[in-house]
Amino acid sequence: MTPYPAKLERRETIPGFGEVLLRPVRSDDAPAIERFFARLSPEDVHTRFFSAMPRLSAAHMARLTGIDFDRDMALLLVEPASGEILAVGRLCANPDVEHEEFAITVRTDVKRHSLGEHLMTWLLDYAKGHGTREVFGDILADNRPSLALARKLGFKLGRRIDSPGIVRATLQF
């Protein structure tokens, strides 16, 4: 199993927001992820998980923090001074490792600062550099900001026949 990729840690400046620390998730991030989750609005939880979740179960937390870096990646945007998580982005590989599903969540109180766009761009750069041929994700049809971001980043959008309220965003490299 690939060790923690410390080489991906770096400070970035997001115009109009300030400095953030970009880094992969670690197994000891569970308390910070719980605090992050607690600061999400019920609407943002539903938008990310497609259901209501009052809290993260232990099993779910283990999946969020126990990353197999050979196959998957989870990047955090962290406020450098406090260590609090601002956003989480994930790539989960299909068995062929050439197709990866993405998910992005930005803390409710820091939205509208382009954090999601920056994090998604860094995830896409990571995917390209690791031989991924396609990145895809499901977005609720009424999630206009995420659909607009997907279009801006070049994703093709299509309705899922099996789930009419969900749009599949696909980007091929």
Side-chain angles (χ1 to χ4, degrees):
M1 189 153 117
T2 301
Y4 176 80
K7 68 181 188 250
L8 296 177
E9 291 184 4
R10 65 182 189 262
R11 289 182 184 254
E12 295 282 345
T13 300
I14 296 178
F17 186 80
E19 190 175 72
V20 297
L21 173 64
L22 173 70
R23 68 168 176 81
V25 71
R26 299 184 305 242
S27 59
D28 64 350
D29 281 323
I33 289 175
E34 285 179 332
R35 290 190 305 275
F36 170 80
F37 186 84
R39 294 180 74 176
L40 295 176
S41 70
E43 295 80 18
D44 287 340
V45 171
H46 182 264
T47 297
R48 167 60 179 91
F49 296 102
F50 296 2
S51 67
M53 292 175 61
R55 63 178 185 76
L56 294 170
S57 68
H60 202 131
M61 184 61 71
R63 284 192 308 273
L64 293 175
T65 58
I67 302 297
D68 175 358
F69 291 113
D70 288 325
R71 302 182 39 80
D72 303 325
M73 178 52 66
L75 292 175
L76 305 177
L77 287 183
V78 178
E79 200 284 315
S82 69
E84 293 300 310
I85 297 171
L86 302 166
V88 178
R90 306 181 69 76
L91 290 171
C92 297
N94 279 356
D96 65 10
V97 194
E98 293 182 349
H99 300 81
E100 296 198 70
E101 184 173 9
F102 74 85
I104 297 276
T105 309
V106 177
R107 207 173 69 198
T108 304
D109 63 320
V110 294
K111 285 186 167 192
R112 295 177 181 50
H113 291 284
S114 300
L115 298 179
E117 179 177 352
H118 283 82
L119 186 54
M120 190 68 201
T121 299
W122 292 320
L123 279 174
L124 293 174
D125 288 345
Y126 176 84
K128 285 181 212 174
H130 285 83
T132 300
R133 294 186 340 171
E134 178 183 83
V135 174
F136 67 93
D138 290 336
I139 302 170
L140 291 175
D142 62 355
N143 186 345
R144 288 189 182 112
S146 290
L147 293 171
L149 175 59
R151 277 188 207 94
K152 180 178 181 178
L153 294 176
F155 282 81
K156 291 183 181 178
L157 303 179
R159 294 277 181 164
R160 289 194 38 189
I161 295 170
D162 60 335
S163 301
I166 297 175
V167 174
R168 171 69 49 100
T170 307
L171 180 65
Q172 296 182 341
F173 303 120

